[in-house]
Amino acid sequence: MERRSNYFINPIRVIGRGGFGYVEEVELYSLDNNKCGNYARKVLSIADEKLLENFTIDEWKRRFQREAKYQASCNHSNVAPIYIHHLSANNPWFITDLAENHLGSELSKGQLQSTEKISIIKMILNGVRYMHEEKRYWHRDLKPANILKFPDGIYKVSDFGLVKNSDNVAESEVLSHIGDVMGTHKYMAPEVYSGLYNEKTDIFALGVVIGEVGIGQLKGIDDFIHKSTAHKPAMRYNSVSDMLIDFEKIIKENNQ
Ligand SMILES: Nc1ncnc2c1ncn2[C@@H]1O[C@H](COP(=O)(O)OP(=O)(O)OP(=O)(O)O)[C@@H](O)[C@H]1O
């Protein structure tokens, strides 16, 4: 078992691999060998062919460190937390809560009831509202696979790989370029292709995600989604708080 800070870490199984590393389930033990629980550890591990594509290992490491720093600075019940990290390791890593699933695969099972869907949408909106309005972060890669499901039906926004701090204009060109060439087409607002990002690009992605959650024929929901995903950013909601206000109104008017 490895030791980090006041914990022993015991890797159990690899959960999945992404483009830039893998996520594994680990057990955490206190130094006197009491089990604290099972967690997820995200590890940066770049395949050789990726290294040939433009960015050096140091640039990938800086991106990962930035991801961990922004995510660790968030403290909200709908944003996945970070507990322990080792960012100067050869393969930097951080430990977060172990998810049961992600929203994408919950949706593909097709078993969510409408009350659950409403509550999931509120949790996503609350998590992103916190990121935008209290942290001034833009997520830039909101999609069902990046919204994780935890026990008791709690959903949390995760994957801060493309997060940008809107107050930090000095963020390096390389890091923003990495952001520009990634992200997921279906959830990308049209202006992203011209390199423009702000909270409205996340609002667009939220609109697409909410459309996919699909809460049915509620009066007002189509207008809500159209306004969130309007082609012109100026026609969209101005903030996630405004989206929440309208969403609550729709739910109330439909007696849900
Ligand atoms: N906290 C977590 N608990 C459980 N599983 C997780 C957690 N975070 C991510 N995963 C899962 O681990 C796998 C790899 O995740 P990761 O975020 O590295 O890559 P990805 O999202 O598949 O790809 P990429 O980020 O490269 O687009 C995915 O199946 C993801 O759902």
Side-chain angles (χ1 to χ4, degrees), residues 46-205:
I46 305 289
D48 287 346
E49 64 270 18
K50 284 261 176 223
L51 276 181
L52 297 176
E53 287 174 8
N54 302 328
F55 307 115
T56 66
I57 186 70
D58 282 346
E59 285 162 346
W60 286 115
K61 277 190 179 180
R62 273 198 292 144
R63 175 181 179 264
F64 190 83
Q65 285 162 353
R66 198 182 56 132
E67 167 178 357
K69 184 182 94 179
Y70 288 157
Q71 194 171 340
S73 77
C74 288
N75 180 11
H76 188 277
S77 51
N78 301 119
V79 177
I82 287 185
Y83 301 113
I84 312 172
H85 55 59
H86 190 1
L87 300 180
S88 58
N90 269 344
N91 290 96
W93 53 260
F94 61 78
I95 288 180
T96 179
D97 280 331
L98 181 64
E100 290 176 345
N101 207 347
H102 61 71
L103 178 60
S105 71
E106 282 297 315
L107 289 176
S108 55
K109 284 193 231 158
Q111 288 168 352
L112 293 170
Q113 302 302 309
S114 71
T115 45
E116 280 175 283
K117 290 180 174 180
I118 289 167
S119 131
I120 292 168
I121 291 170
K122 283 186 195 165
M123 287 189 265
I124 301 170
L125 288 173
N126 274 309
V128 180
R129 187 204 58 73
Y130 169 84
M131 290 180 68
H132 281 189
E133 297 171 28
E134 295 188 39
K135 304 304 294 181
R136 309 268 306 132
Y137 296 164
W138 304 327
H139 186 283
R140 308 204 299 176
D141 196 15
L142 290 167
K143 57 181 176 182
N146 288 340
I147 295 158
L148 299 181
K149 182 189 179 202
F150 294 91
D152 299 325
I154 304 293
Y155 284 75
K156 301 185 190 212
V157 178
S158 181
D159 204 335
F160 275 48
L162 297 187
V163 166
K164 189 168 168 64
N165 179 350
S166 57
D167 287 338
N168 186 355
V169 279
E171 237 159 34
S172 88
E173 277 303 303
V174 168
L175 292 173
S176 5
H177 180 56
I178 289 175
D180 291 346
V181 293
M182 298 184 344
T184 309
H185 177 75
K186 187 173 175 189
Y187 305 93
M188 280 186 181
E191 69 273 14
V192 169
Y193 298 95
S194 326
L196 293 174
Y197 281 97
N198 58 32
E199 56 280 354
K200 302 262 185 150
T201 53
D202 277 353
I203 284 171
F204 181 96

